[in-house]
Amino acid sequence: MALILQVISSGIYIVGSLSIVAFLYDNLKSLFSIIKAVLEPYFRPNLPKTLVEKFGQWAVVTGATDGIGKEYARELARQGLNLVLISRTKEKLIAVTNEIESQYNVKIKWIVVDFAKGREVYDQIEEELNGIDVGILVNNVGMIHDPETLDKVSEDTLWDLLTVNMGSVTMLTRKILPQMIGRRKGAIVNLGSSSELQPLPNLTAYAASKKFITHFSKGLEYEVADHNIHVQLVMPNFVATNMNAYSDKVRQGGLLFPNAYSYARSAVFTLGKTSETNGFWVHGIQYALMKLAPMQIRTYFGNQLFKRLRIEALEHRQKKQNLY
């Protein structure tokens, strides 16, 4: 009997230990990935040193004229990649192109498309990319609305959000993937969000669209692994960009809210070194702490947070209206 109890006790200990290790890894893997990115070159010195060596000479960045997308483009140019910038505003594309070209000796091509128009834009993109071997695709373009209950968000806004946030990452990847498979080289970076971690009342459709990006990226990672193609899911928390214009506190930045430049420098550093990251060490800690709580608790606090941000957004809109 004593032997049976000892075996049961040992089994419980082993299962418990493995469960704790798995739980901690699952919750802290973004931090582990950043540490891995720092240390890997010391242990594997024969790995390709640059992104150009790893993936190729050209990078495509969508949503490239503001915020994270613009700074991703700048950082990739700093590392020697030629760029194809895709956005909907010609004037902004020209301005960003001139700005980056004045800093770095790279080639830049820009393409004007509005991803909210859906299927029709992808043939144009494919035609304009003809002859360019895309080494890195950064699916950054996305949209958000001010925090609001679903019944008060316009149907046009919802259609645009779903078309841009989910359609762009799926269809542009589908257009570019065959050439990467043919060369057996490339990287696909999908900008998701930490909001995928739980439902977010008052940003219900947005958070759901980011969960789509998580599942899409993880599934694609396994599909293309045999073709030597790297898929990276990037899940930022709040970054001080125009997407968060509804919150003065977020726009002001700070330790918890890095600016787009700092965030992109950190995130690009992990490219080719890890398949999943929050991109910035503070966001990795935030994500880990949130994930420790059960889904119901995370959803409750998310609801409370975005109720307050909804009020802040309403006040922000009222101030703008008063100015005019």
Side-chain angles (χ1 to χ4, degrees):
M1 184 66 179
L3 180 59
I4 294 175
L5 290 175
Q6 185 177 358
V7 171
I8 292 174
S9 177
S10 298
I12 292 173
Y13 174 80
I14 292 171
V15 172
S17 298
L18 291 174
S19 297
I20 291 172
V21 170
F23 180 79
L24 290 175
Y25 172 74
D26 191 48
N27 284 275
L28 297 171
K29 60 187 174 184
S30 178
L31 290 177
F32 292 155
S33 74
I34 293 174
I35 295 171
K36 174 178 176 287
V38 173
L39 297 178
E40 188 173 46
Y42 297 100
F43 294 96
R44 302 178 67 187
N46 294 326
L47 289 174
K49 296 295 191 297
T50 69
L51 293 178
V52 172
E53 291 172 335
K54 289 178 182 177
F55 303 121
Q57 295 183 328
W58 284 88
V60 172
V61 183
T62 66
T65 54
D66 288 296
I68 293 174
K70 177 181 176 180
E71 297 306 330
Y72 248 90
R74 190 196 308 275
E75 178 59 17
L76 291 171
R78 189 183 73 84
Q79 298 199 28
L81 281 102
N82 300 320
L83 301 173
V84 179
L85 308 180
I86 306 179
S87 190
R88 64 180 177 177
T89 307
K90 180 178 178 180
E91 291 75 18
K92 285 186 176 182
L93 281 166
I94 293 173
V96 172
T97 295
N98 291 339
E99 184 179 331
I100 294 177
E101 284 183 336
S102 71
Q103 295 177 295
Y104 307 107
N105 184 27
V106 297
K107 300 176 184 177
I108 301 180
K109 174 184 175 67
W110 46 262
I111 303 173
V112 180
V113 296
D114 182 356
F115 283 100
K117 292 183 178 179
R119 187 170 184 171
E120 66 183 68
V121 306
Y122 297 98
D123 288 340
Q124 176 193 344
I125 294 173
E126 184 177 35
E127 182 178 343
E128 298 209 40
L129 289 178
N130 185 39
I132 295 176
D133 292 335
V134 179
I136 300 173
L137 168 62
V138 181
N139 284 310
N140 166 75
V141 68
M143 64 171 290
I144 193 172
H145 57 77
D146 288 353
E148 186 56 273
T149 57
L150 188 68
D151 60 299
K152 293 185 175 64
V153 182
S154 74
E155 291 186 12
D156 286 343
T157 296
L158 290 172
W159 275 116
D160 287 350
L161 185 148
L162 298 176
T163 302
V164 173
N165 289 9
M166 296 190 292
S168 64
V169 66
T170 305
M171 299 313 299
L172 193 53
T173 298
R174 175 62 182 83
K175 287 291 188 184
I176 291 176
L177 190 58
Q179 61 162 276
M180 290 184 174
I181 291 174
R183 293 195 311 276
R184 291 191 55 78
K185 184 166 69 172
I188 298 167
V189 181
N190 295 330
L191 268 292
S193 169
S194 292
S195 64
E196 63 85 42
L197 193 55
Q198 69 283 305
L200 279 183
N202 291 290
L203 277 180
T204 298
Y206 173 79
S209 73
K210 292 302 181 179
K211 189 66 174 179
F212 170 88
I213 293 176
T214 295
H215 283 195
F216 175 81
S217 301
K218 303 311 290 183
L220 185 67
E221 177 188 348
Y222 282 87
E223 286 186 14
V224 302
D226 291 341
H227 300 289
N228 193 38
I229 296 170
H230 178 72
V231 179
Q232 185 182 50
L233 171 65
V234 182
M235 298 178 292
N237 210 322
F238 285 113
V239 177
T241 68
N242 289 333
M243 284 191 74
N244 298 308
Y246 57 81
S247 173
D248 292 335
K249 185 174 183 180
V250 174
R251 286 294 305 279
Q252 288 170 3
L255 179 62
L256 298 180
F257 313 123
N259 59 36
Y261 172 79
S262 299
Y263 182 84
R265 286 290 296 267
S266 175
V268 172
F269 174 74
T270 69
L271 179 53
K273 304 182 181 78
T274 177
S275 63
E276 181 179 324
T277 181
N278 294 109
F280 195 76
W281 67 273
V282 173
H283 289 184
I285 293 173
Q286 291 174 311
Y287 189 84
L289 292 175
M290 289 189 295
K291 204 169 181 182
L292 289 171
M295 174 79 75
Q296 187 174 359
I297 301 299
R298 298 199 300 265
T299 305
Y300 171 80
F301 281 106
N303 184 35
Q304 297 304 309
L305 171 63
F306 280 94
K307 274 185 176 179
R308 292 197 295 271
L309 289 177
R310 177 176 178 269
I311 294 171
E312 189 173 341
L314 290 170
E315 292 174 346
H316 186 266
R317 285 202 299 269
Q318 187 63 50
K319 287 179 182 178
K320 288 182 66 176
Q321 290 173 0
N322 290 341
L323 289 176
Y324 299 101

